[in-house]
Amino acid sequence: MVARRIERSKPRWVTLRVDGEDVPAAEGEPIAMSLLAAGRVTLGRSVKYHRPRGAACFAGRCDGCLMRVDGVPSVRTCAVPAREGTTLETQNVLGSAKHDLLAAADWFFPGGMNHHEMFTWARPVNEVMQRIAREIAGIGTLPDLDASVGTIEDASPDALVVGAGIAGLEAARTLGEAGLEVLLVDEEDAPGGLLRFVEGEAERARALADAARRAGVDLRSRHAALGLYDEPERGRLALVGGERGLLRVRARATLLATGRTEGAACFEGSDLPGVIGAEAATRLLAHDVLPGERIVLAGDLSTRRAELDALAAALRAAGAEVRGPLPLASVARAEGSASVEWVTLREGEGEREHGVDLLIAAPRTSASYELAVQAGARCELRDGVFEVVEAPRERHTWIAGALAGAASVEDAISSAAGAARAMIEALAARGESTP
Amino acid sequence: MSKIIVCRCEDVTLSELERALALGYRDLESVKRHTAFGTGYCQGKQCVALCAAYLAAHGGAVGEAPFTPRPPTRPVPLAHLAALAREEGEEP
Amino acid sequence: MTSLGSPTATLPESADYVIVGAGIMGLATAWNLARLADGEARPRIVVIDKSYLCGGASGRNGGGVRAQWSSETNVELMKRSIAIAAEFATRMRINVWFRRGGYLFLARTEARAKELEASAALQREHGLPTRVIEPSEARAIVPELDVSRLVCASWNPDDGVVFPWSFVWGYARAAASLGVSIHTHTEVTDLITEGSRVRGVVTPRGSVRAERVLVCAGAWSPEITRMVGVELPSRPHRHEICASEPLKPFLRPLVGDLESGLYFSQSMRGEIVGGISNARVPEGIDHASSMRFLGLYASALLEAMPRLGSVKILRQWAGCYDLTPDGNPLCGEVDEAPGLYLMSGFQGHGFMIAPIMGELFAKHLLFAEERALFERWNLRRYREGRLLHESMILG
């Protein structure tokens, strides 16, 4: 696998300590990207078969980049900014991530193990099997140190907006300009959502974020909304996680603008390190990391054609050889010992093998429905992905943007504006006047 | 190896989905319990849609909501959660 | 496998037994009825559940299986239930991951210590190896445990934990292979009566007439009996639980603190699974999760095991305990509604006691055995003022 850095910016360099070796990193970049840029694609092993694992989403939504960081088990390295001296250790291997002896399990059970029925013919053998299964289970080990209790902050804004993509920003700005107290939380490093990575749109997102702040919006990046709760004797609360602790939010109205998630594709070898999403590739390029030099790019062309074309162009401009965008169904399998080395594509009547460093597999995205469904929204499976089809049943929660099905930036903005107007009206009608 | 992994976090294979269907489990919650897909570190973010799509295409009854979404939406350290024991307005 | 909610499967028009509830209690009873009856006399059994398998408490519990109880009845029954659990995997040919890591009950006050000592003595009289141990020994069993404020602990190394869902699937499959008909996603909307006698059930997919209707519906049982005007003294009480990220095995027993209701153990996947008491719960049956639970649980768990601070919680869920005023269950025929039988009110330990109760219930129904037990636990004790007691209720 040949990932490399694109020399565009001048970062401050720091040194990470990875399994006892020094690895250079740009200060503040996601460590999973530092590792990739340093040629470390295989970061760990899966739970049952010890199949190789590496970062796949680079967005804190998979299990591929987990490592032990500064004595803490199973930390998503894609969410840890590189600092001088950060210590990383590979977990769950006998040997190394690239050569794990326990991968014999994968080889020993070629068709998979039927863990429900295996070794159930006699009690002694069943007990031995269970003892072994328990010993090899689990990923991380106990932390090196105790941790001090985190911080807790209580907030009671008029409106809580979850997600600072274009829809969330637009809604927050509108609510702020209407005189409401707005708390805007976003799990990313900086506001703007995916538009941060789109040439021409990034500036628009930045301007909108500035306008929101000028309108008094309390914008918290690196804050993920964790759940919506109805507490006996406390009412409706939202739990938000920050870096050092939590926010407990009692908002009079909530807007969910959580966007969409690019899930995993599914084909033989789709779980290999070096098989990543298109969004992941976009994030890497935005951090000046070219994730590979020989790339196959395949995805759902019916919904993501323009995005994938733009990605292919950007990868080529950075010096990579890109085959695609191809339809996702043309990928027959991905193969490699510890990371992807070959991709077999269906070509015409037959198949053809291609040597690669990277396979970008970009299926259709699903609405990021979790919070919406907690708030009573209804979801349906449509064309193989989940869409929110009915807004939250409970009165104080709205949805907007790509979560609500907006297919373009303009749609997202108008849906956000509509939701914000509805929220302003609802709050006024409840007899609680805006200041 | 020729396994097709549908859920990376729990190493659930496509053949396990097939087996669950063959055993008569058709709804998403039952198949999730039987195969463990969606119950690992990412709690289904990567795999629920693709497993649901597979079930829907092979005689399953996917129904409405994906499956009951369990908070939290991402892993939270116990040390952070412990601070919740302090009530709103209570001094630390 | 049987219909399991297939819309095309038809409900039989009649049966010898209709069992309302396909949790472990209903399915264990169904299997035992089918296997214990003589081949020719094998009864026709239909099990009906309004949701999917493992949708109720059977699918929501932490898998604890213990014989440490404060009443003789529970101790004896649980000894037998654990014996069944230990053989379940090989008998039913499905892994249940039964691990005898022991149960460690913590005492932080002298009063609790005395209670534990009394219970331990009772348990020893019934052949259990339970001992009350010093904090230092507790620390040897769980090195990460903070024992600085511990008075003592009650320790039975033979108690254990299981993976609960496999019991439900195992019983379902075994029952189905003996001809039991199981219908999920089918709600019982009414009971058929002739006078005060119950004669069957009504569902949106048709009615099933039966001489005996068994209510094994856990927290939903009062809804069923209410259909014939019988009010049960039981109330649902939401109990929350959560799971951490999977860790390499380090925790041997299930650790419990009866004061706070805190309990936690390590599952076969390595997750720390646990819960704690929470007085502030909504009325009725509720499976939503709360923030308050997270705070209570996390602070209590870290007090017991400070090293877990940076271990992360992945998900939380809830189930309903089926509580009765005297902490004992409701079993046997209902005087006011002959033909209707109860098997509910097991607080938060219905799962672990179901293997033995399913067997005894079947013997009671088929051969009129276990009269003393079913008299002791009959609903009529409330009318007659014969309430019982159980103090070691956890969670």
Side-chain angles (χ1 to χ4, degrees), chain A residues 46 48-49 53 56 61 74 106 109 114 116-117 150 152 154 187 225-226 229 234 248 250 264 369 379, chain B residues 3 5 8-9 11 19 34 41-42 45-46 50 64 66 71-74 79-80 83-84 86-88:
Chain A
S46 66
K48 205 151 76 175
Y49 304 116
R53 285 285 174 269
R61 295 176 195 170
S74 300
D106 194 22
F109 293 98
N114 182 343
H116 288 308
E117 284 166 30
I152 182 83
D154 285 294
E187 64 187 15
L226 300 170
Y229 298 87
R234 281 161 145 193
R248 198 164 35 195
R250 182 188 295 283
Y369 56 74
C379 255
Chain B
K3 295 184 186 66
I5 300 287
R8 286 202 283 248
C9 299
D11 264 353
R19 181 161 167 75
H34 201 262
Y41 202 90
C42 90
K45 286 179 183 57
Q46 296 296 314
L50 82 92
E64 273 190 18
T73 56
R74 50 180 54 206
H80 287 192
L84 288 171
R86 208 175 79 227
E87 298 286 338
E88 273 169 278

Side-chain angles (χ1 to χ4, degrees), chain A residues 139-155:
Chain A
I139 305 176
T141 53
L142 284 174
D144 289 349
L145 302 167
D146 294 359
S148 42
V149 173
T151 56
I152 182 83
E153 187 187 328
D154 285 294

Side-chain angles (χ1 to χ4, degrees), chain A residues 2 4 61 72 121 123 132 149 154 167 182 198 204-205 207 229 254 258 277 309 372 387 394 403:
Chain A
V2 187
R4 60 176 169 77
R61 295 176 195 170
V72 175
W121 62 83
R123 213 165 139 177
I132 295 172
V149 173
D154 285 294
V182 184
V198 178
R204 181 177 187 177
Y229 298 87
T254 303
T258 50
D309 278 338
E387 300 293 350
E394 60 128 56
L403 169 69

